[in-house]
Amino acid sequence: MKVLSVKEQYMEQYVNNAETQYELIRKIRHDIKDQLTTVYELLTSGKTEDALEFIEQSNGIVKATMTFVQTNNPVANAIINSKLSTASTLGIKVSCITVNDFVGINELDLCDLLSNTLENAITACEAMPPDLNKFIYLEISKENNIYTFIVKNSLDKSVISENPKLKTTKKDIINHGLGTSIIRDIVNKYSGRYDYYEIDNAFCCSIILET
C-alpha cells in the first residue's frame, strides 16, 4: 500500500508538472508579442540599457521553463523537462541524451522510474555544499528491445560507503525511502537489472529493461 501511495504521488506530480509547463508556455506565447514591441520601443527611443535589462528578465523566465527533450512520449517529456528545469533553477548543471520512443514500456512504469531517479539525483545535489560543482546527467539508449537508463549526479563524499542500503535521508520515512523497492519491481517486471555505483565523483544509477 505504501508503494502504491508513492506511485500515486509520482503520477500526481507528472500531471501537475505537465499542466504547469503548459500554462507557462501559453503565457509566454501570449506575452511575447507585447515584449517584442516593448524592446522595439526602448531601442528606437535610445534606451539601450533599459532594453537589455528587459531582455534579461524575459530570458530568465524562458530559462525557468526550458525544454530539454522533445520525444514522442508525453510522460517522458513532462517529467524530464520538469525535473531538469527544477535542477537548473537550483544551480545544478544538467544534460540529457535520450531515445525518441519508449515502445513496450508502460507509461506508469516510465513515470515511476524517471520521477524516482531524477528526484533522488536532485536531492543528492541539493545536499552538497553550495560552492561545489553540481551536475545531473541523464542518458536513455536502446539497442534492439533493450532500454538502458543511466542517471548520474555529482557527490562530495561516498554515498555507498556511508549508506550502502541507500536508505532515505528525508525525515518523512513513511512516504519516502521506497525508491529502490519501486525500481526493483519495475526491473523484475521487464526481466531487467539495475545497479548503483560510484565513479569519477559521481553516483550512478543504471537500469536495464527488456521489452
Side-chain angles (χ1 to χ4, degrees), residues 193-197 204-207:
R193 64 180 185 272
Y194 67 97
D195 189 22
Y196 301 105
Y197 58 95
C204 307
C205 172
S206 173
I207 299 170

Side-chain angles (χ1 to χ4, degrees), residues 120-190:
N120 286 344
I122 292 173
T123 300
C125 286
E126 282 188 288
M128 292 176 60
D131 58 328
L132 295 184
N133 179 41
K134 303 179 182 183
F135 67 84
I136 293 175
Y137 171 75
L138 169 65
E139 179 180 341
I140 307 173
S141 59
K142 180 186 180 185
E143 184 173 351
N144 298 323
N145 64 326
I146 297 176
Y147 287 88
T148 301
F149 297 77
I150 297 177
V151 180
K152 296 182 181 180
N153 63 265
S154 52
L155 49 79
D156 58 324
K157 56 186 176 181
S158 175
V159 175
I160 294 177
S161 296
E162 295 190 2
N163 185 13
K165 293 185 178 180
L166 302 179
K167 293 182 178 180
T168 182
T169 57
K170 295 183 178 181
K171 294 181 180 180
D172 186 4
I173 299 176
I174 295 177
N175 292 317
H176 296 97
L178 296 171
T180 53
S181 176
I182 291 172
I183 293 299
R184 183 177 62 248
D185 289 344
I186 294 174
V187 167
N188 289 338
K189 179 178 178 179
Y190 292 88

Side-chain angles (χ1 to χ4, degrees), residues 79-80 82-90 92 94 114-128 134-136 151-154 170:
I79 296 173
I80 294 173
S82 174
K83 295 298 183 183
L84 295 189
S85 290
T86 298
S88 183
T89 59
L90 293 172
I92 302 169
V94 298
L114 291 173
S115 294
N116 184 287
T117 54
L118 291 175
E119 185 62 32
N120 286 344
I122 292 173
T123 300
C125 286
E126 282 188 288
M128 292 176 60
K134 303 179 182 183
F135 67 84
I136 293 175
V151 180
K152 296 182 181 180
N153 63 265
S154 52
K170 295 183 178 181

